[in-house]
């Protein structure tokens, strides 16, 4: 019998700053219920799925910044989503802003957690490729993630989810080939990722027509070259005055888009992913043990 995993990608529309956590978590629970009703076995939500994408603003007040972060997961306001996972028997990957107490200090990460179909925590990933800058730069779309987040320090972990090897990635990570290769080498069969991607960038108006192409291109190549299934969830639409692209998708290890969102709003897309396709694709081109030449790739891991 074929090994399969039914993946649901839960795209959200914009989450305005004025929305309460309770309202937002209610939307996520509703999406998870829709996914479960259609037979989903795992779901993925966007990056920063509990709040607006606040790095579009320069904020100085630490308390105001920390209001976008979660000090515990689940916390009082997110517990409902974990309870829904257990009730529906559908686990999920959720992007959020993490306030961690580590090494005797408070640390800020752009994080995604994987939660099991029993509602229990499975594992955590912290965004590795943190884009943008710490200060606004003239002529550049304001994207201040490097002001608010440390880069991830947990590597590229892969977790067991009901016997399937699942890895996580967050937004800008999807543009970097190393993300997929690390997940692949760590044994991933499925990569779940979430993103918040501006529709327009002030620094490159000539590339505006390529925003969606450049969304899907690296994910399709990453899936194909690393024989992965990918589920990618956008936060889409006009959020606090900034347009975010949609294009949430499920991508096969062949590089084909198996499912694609049709809106810029809350929407569930699903696909029953045939995990045996991974082996088929490996047989065609990617017998890693036989053909890879890691001894010749050393520069890739040398310091910048
Ligand atoms: N959230 C995130 O990582 N967004 C980036 C945009 C960076 S623009 C400086 C992305 O790659 O979509």
């Amino acid at each position: 019998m074929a090994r399969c995993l039914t993946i649901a990608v839960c795209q959200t529309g914009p989450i305005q700053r004025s929305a309460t956590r309770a309202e937002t978590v209610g939307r996520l629970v509703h999406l998870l219920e829709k996914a479960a009703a259609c037979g989903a076995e795992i779901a993925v939500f966007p990056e920063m799925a509990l709040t607006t994408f606040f790095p579009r603003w320069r904020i100085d007040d630490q308390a105001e910044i920390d209001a976008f972060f979660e000090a515990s997961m689940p916390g009082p306001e997110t517990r409902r989503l974990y309870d829904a996972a257990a009730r529906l028997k559908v686990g999920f990957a959720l992007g959020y802003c993490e306030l961690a107490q580590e090494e005797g200090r408070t640390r800020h990460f752009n994080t995604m957690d994987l939660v099991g179909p029993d509602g229990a925590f499975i594992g955590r990933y912290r965004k590795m490729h943190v884009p943008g800058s710490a200060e606004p730069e003239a002529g550049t779309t304001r994207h201040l993630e490097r002001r608010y987040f440390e880069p991830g320090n947990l590597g590229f972990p892969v977790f067991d989810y009901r016997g399937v090897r699942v890895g996580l990635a967050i937004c800008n990570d999807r543009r970097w080939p190393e993300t997929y290769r690390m997940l692949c080498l760590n044994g991933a069969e499925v990569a779940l990722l979430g993103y918040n991607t501006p529709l327009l960038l002030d620094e490159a108006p000539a590339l505006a027509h390529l925003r969606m192409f450049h969304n899907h291109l690296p994910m399709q190549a990453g899936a194909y070259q690393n024989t992965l299934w990918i589920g990618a969830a956008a936060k889409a639409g006009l959020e606090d005055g900034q347009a975010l692209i949609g294009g949430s998708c499920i991508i096969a290890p062949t590089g084909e888009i198996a499912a694609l969102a049709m809106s810029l709003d809350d929407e569930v897309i699903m696909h029953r992913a045939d995990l045996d396709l991974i082996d088929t694709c490996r047989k065609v081109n990617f017998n890693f043990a036989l053909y890879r030449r890691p001894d010749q790739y050393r520069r890739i891991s040398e310091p910048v």
Side-chain angles (χ1 to χ4, degrees):
M1 207 173 67
R3 275 180 77 231
C4 290
L5 182 71
T6 303
I7 301 171
V9 168
C10 298
Q11 173 175 288
T12 71
I15 297 173
Q16 311 299 350
R17 189 172 187 174
S18 57
T20 65
R21 284 284 202 292
E23 285 165 355
T24 303
V25 171
R27 279 168 66 184
L28 303 186
V29 169
H30 184 60
L31 285 166
L32 196 65
E33 286 170 344
K34 272 174 96 168
C38 296
E41 294 173 300
I42 193 168
V44 56
F45 294 106
E47 173 192 39
M48 246 178 257
L50 299 173
T51 61
T52 189
F53 189 79
F54 73 91
R56 68 172 66 91
W57 299 306
R58 187 186 191 283
I59 304 172
D60 291 317
D61 180 65
Q62 197 58 48
E64 198 181 335
I65 295 166
D66 287 351
F68 294 107
F69 284 74
E70 310 301 312
S72 62
M73 274 305 237
E77 288 148 320
T78 45
R79 158 71 56 197
R80 221 180 120 199
L81 184 60
Y82 289 64
D83 291 345
R87 169 170 53 85
L88 302 165
K89 300 184 177 44
V90 181
F92 60 83
L94 174 75
Y96 66 97
C97 305
E98 179 199 0
L99 204 57
Q101 300 302 326
E102 262 180 25
E103 298 176 359
R105 63 195 169 97
T106 302
R107 305 181 68 174
H108 298 74
F109 296 102
N110 189 339
T111 294
M112 182 172 261
D113 281 1
L114 182 64
V115 172
D118 56 356
F121 174 80
I122 294 180
R124 176 161 295 163
Y125 170 73
R126 289 171 173 162
K127 186 175 185 175
M128 206 55 83
H129 303 96
V130 179
S133 55
E135 293 293 339
E137 290 171 0
T140 301
T141 294
R142 208 177 326 132
H143 189 105
L144 304 180
E145 277 194 67
R146 295 177 81 86
R147 179 180 193 83
Y148 302 117
F149 298 107
E150 289 184 58
N153 58 355
L154 299 178
F156 294 91
V158 172
F159 307 103
D160 180 82
Y161 182 94
R162 292 174 44 163
V164 181
R165 305 273 298 160
V166 176
L168 308 173
I170 304 177
C171 197
N172 193 258
D173 288 326
R174 78 191 185 288
R175 304 194 191 275
W176 297 87
E178 292 85 353
T179 300
Y180 308 99
R181 184 47 54 101
M182 286 304 296
L183 289 174
C184 169
L185 293 177
N186 287 339
E189 298 172 288
V190 174
L192 301 178
L193 71 91
Y195 57 94
N196 285 242
T197 293
L199 177 63
L200 297 171
L201 290 182
D202 295 345
E203 55 270 43
L207 304 184
H209 64 296
L210 298 173
R211 294 297 283 160
M212 191 56 80
F213 177 60
H214 288 164
N215 177 35
H216 290 143
L217 174 71
M219 293 195 285
Q220 290 182 256
Y224 171 65
Q225 293 171 334
N226 298 284
T227 61
L228 295 167
W229 280 93
I230 294 179
K235 168 131 64 66
L238 191 63
E239 184 179 85
D240 288 312
Q242 183 179 43
L244 301 174
I245 64 167
S248 298
C249 55
I250 299 172
I251 300 172
T254 55
E256 292 167 286
I257 294 179
L260 181 63
M262 296 171 68
S263 75
L264 294 174
D265 216 329
D266 289 11
E267 179 180 346
V268 179
I269 57 167
M270 307 227 328
H271 186 80
R272 186 154 176 76
D274 174 1
L275 301 171
D276 293 336
L277 193 53
I278 293 170
D279 274 345
T280 307
C281 289
R282 287 205 175 177
K283 275 187 202 128
V284 175
N285 266 319
F286 297 115
N287 182 335
F288 293 100
L290 188 60
Y291 298 122
R292 278 184 77 246
R293 300 293 312 281
D295 57 310
Q296 300 296 317
Y297 303 154
R298 225 165 279 144
R299 279 213 72 178
I300 289 175
S301 61
E302 279 174 3
V304 180

